[in-house]
Amino acid sequence: MAPDFNGSCHDKPTLSGGGSPTTTAFMFSAGVLGNVVALILLELRRRKQPASLFQVLVTSLVFTDLLGTFSVSPLVLTAYFRNESLIGMNERRLVCGHFGYAMTFFSMVTLAILLFMAVERWLSIGHPYCYEKRMSKRCGYITIALIYLFCALFSATPFFGFGKYVQYCPGTWCFVDMRPSATEHKVFNIIYASCLLIMIVCTVLCNASVIYHLSLMYRRRKAHRSSVRRQRGHKRQRSIAKEVEHLVLLGVMTIAFVICSLPLVFQLYINIFYKCPHENNRIALLLVSANPIIDPWVFIILSPPVPRLLWDKMCKTAKFKSTQEKVRSIHPVLYQSNAPGDSGGSVMKVNTGIPGTPGS
C-alpha cells in the first residue's frame, strides 16, 4: 500500500511491485471496529442524558472518520484482489478521481470539525455569556453542514482543471499531484496546505486559551468555594472535571491530527519549490491515512471514566498537600526538624500534656 512518487504509475493499469493487502485489511478492520465501538459508546451516553453540543461534534467526527474509511479502503482491497490499479478499474479514471477526492475531502472535514470543537470549548469556558446566547445544537448541525459543503466544493475543483489527482505506485493510491508543473495545480496545493495549516494553528490556540481559562476557574473555585456552591443550580455551571474531560479528549485528538497532517502540509509547500525525496512524500500520505483509525480509539481510551479517574487522583493529591500545609501552619511545633544527629526531616514528638497525644 506504500505509494511511490516516481511518476511511473500515473497511467499504469496494473499493480506494480510493493504494498501488502494484509496491511490494508488490518487498517480497514481497526478503523471500522474503532469507529463502530465509539458510536455505540456515544449512543449509550446519549440515552442516559441529553447530548450536548460537544457530543454532537464528537459524533459527527467519528461518523466522518467511519465514512472516510469505507470510502477508500475497500477500493484498495479490490485493487489487490483483481491485480488492477485504480486507473485500470475504469477507463475514465473515475475510481482514481474518487479516491483522491475522498482523501482531500475527509482530511479537510476532520480538521474543520476539530477546529469547531476547539472553538466551542473556547467559547464555553472563556465567553460563557456569548456561548449561552449563540451556541446550540442547531448551530452545530448548521456549521457541520456548511463544513461538508465547503470541503466538497473545494475538493471537486481538480475535476475542473484547478488541481490534479494522480495515481501513485503500486497503483492503490490516488491523491493531489505532489509534484505539480502547471501553475494552477501549484496554486491549488498552496491553498490546500494553507487551509490545513490555518486550521491547525487556530485549533492549537483555542486549546491553549481553554487551558488558561480552566486554570483561572480552578483558582477562583479554590478561593471562593462558598460562592461556587451557591451557583451550582445555574444551567451554565459545569464542574471543572467535566471541562477537563472534554479538553483532554479534544487535546489528544488534535495532537494526533497535527502529527498526521503537518508532514503533508510541509511536503506540499516544499514540493512547490524543491522536489523532495519520494520517501518523505510516502510517509506524509501514510500518516494522513492513519488518522481516521487513530481518532475513534483515542475517544474509546479517553472516554469517561478514564479522564475522570485521573482528575480525581490529581484533586486528591492537591487536597492532601493543602491539608498538610494547613496543619503545619496551625501546629508548627509538630513539624520541627530533629536534632542534627537524627535522620533528617522526620517529625519530632512533642509532649503536649494531653493523654493520647504524641509525646504523652
Side-chain angles (χ1 to χ4, degrees):
M1 189 175 171
D4 183 11
F5 292 82
N6 53 20
S8 61
C9 291
H10 285 358
D11 302 301
K12 197 170 183 179
T14 58
L15 296 182
S16 61
S20 170
T22 304
T23 303
T24 304
F26 174 77
M27 295 177 67
F28 177 61
S29 302
V32 172
L33 177 62
N35 283 292
V36 169
V37 172
L39 288 174
I40 292 174
L41 291 176
L42 286 166
E43 176 62 20
L44 293 176
R45 187 181 301 178
R46 187 191 63 82
R47 292 182 179 181
K48 291 182 180 179
Q49 58 185 6
S52 63
L53 175 58
F54 186 82
Q55 289 177 330
V56 170
L57 297 178
V58 173
T59 303
S60 65
L61 178 64
V62 174
F63 178 78
T64 299
D65 288 336
L66 181 62
L67 189 61
T69 301
F70 273 113
S71 296
V72 295
S73 293
L75 295 177
V76 180
L77 293 173
T78 303
Y80 279 117
F81 291 145
R82 296 174 56 175
N83 194 31
E84 290 181 335
S85 68
L86 298 181
I87 288 180
M89 292 182 184
N90 185 274
E91 294 181 357
R92 300 176 60 187
R93 304 191 174 206
L94 295 179
V95 177
C96 180
H98 164 77
F99 197 102
Y101 176 88
M103 290 282 291
T104 306
F105 172 77
F106 287 108
S107 65
M108 295 187 69
V109 170
T110 300
L111 188 49
I113 294 177
L114 279 174
L115 174 58
F116 187 32
M117 291 167 64
V119 171
E120 188 269 347
R121 289 294 86 202
W122 173 63
L123 291 175
S124 174
I125 301 298
H127 305 275
Y129 179 78
C130 176
Y131 181 86
E132 288 293 338
K133 285 290 184 181
R134 305 292 182 183
M135 302 297 286
S136 63
K137 287 191 287 185
R138 181 173 177 271
C139 173
Y141 292 131
I142 294 175
T143 304
I144 291 171
L146 292 176
I147 288 173
Y148 266 76
L149 178 61
F150 171 79
C151 295
L153 292 177
F154 178 81
S155 302
T157 55
F159 299 127
F160 301 97
F162 184 66
K164 186 179 181 181
Y165 294 130
V166 297
Q167 177 178 274
Y168 299 110
C169 290
T172 57
W173 286 80
C174 284
F175 194 55
V176 297
D177 189 358
M178 299 283 283
R179 289 181 161 181
S181 55
T183 303
E184 58 270 23
H185 302 337
K186 291 182 179 180
V187 173
F188 173 84
N189 286 9
I190 292 175
I191 295 176
Y192 174 52
S194 299
C195 288
L196 295 180
L197 184 60
I198 290 172
M199 288 190 287
I200 290 172
V201 172
C202 291
T203 302
V204 172
L205 290 178
C206 287
N207 288 338
S209 178
V210 170
I211 294 173
Y212 171 73
H213 283 97
L214 274 179
S215 65
L216 293 181
M217 284 178 59
Y218 179 75
R219 291 174 186 174
R220 285 197 294 262
R221 183 178 180 182
K222 194 175 180 181
H224 307 285
R225 197 174 296 271
S226 59
S227 64
V228 172
R229 287 197 188 101
R230 289 196 296 269
Q231 296 173 4
R232 277 181 182 170
H234 195 277
K235 180 181 177 182
R236 173 65 191 88
Q237 184 65 37
R238 299 181 182 181
S239 67
I240 296 181
K242 192 73 174 178
E243 300 294 350
V244 169
E245 289 176 10
H246 293 163
L247 178 63
V248 169
L249 177 61
L250 176 59
V252 175
M253 282 185 169
T254 303
I255 292 172
F257 194 88
V258 168
I259 294 174
C260 292
S261 59
L262 266 186
L264 174 64
V265 173
F266 292 150
Q267 291 304 118
L268 287 171
Y269 277 127
I270 295 173
N271 278 320
I272 298 298
F273 309 101
Y274 172 76
K275 305 305 180 184
C276 291
H278 304 318
E279 182 66 17
N280 294 351
N281 295 329
R282 184 183 72 86
I283 295 174
L285 266 186
L286 286 174
L287 288 173
V288 169
S289 64
N291 186 74
I293 302 170
I294 297 173
D295 274 347
W297 290 106
V298 168
F299 173 79
I300 293 170
I301 295 172
L302 295 181
S303 181
V306 175
R308 191 172 299 165
L309 291 174
L310 294 175
W311 175 253
D312 290 342
K313 181 66 175 176
M314 292 169 58
C315 289
K316 288 179 181 178
T317 303
K319 187 176 181 181
F320 176 75
K321 291 181 179 179
S322 176
T323 303
Q324 279 191 325
E325 291 175 358
K326 290 181 179 179
V327 172
R328 284 194 183 97
S329 63
I330 297 173
H331 303 288
V333 69
L334 296 178
Y335 288 87
Q336 290 178 355
S337 299
N338 285 341
D342 296 339
S343 56
S346 59
V347 176
M348 182 177 69
K349 293 184 179 180
V350 179
N351 191 347
T352 62
I354 302 175
T357 59
S360 320

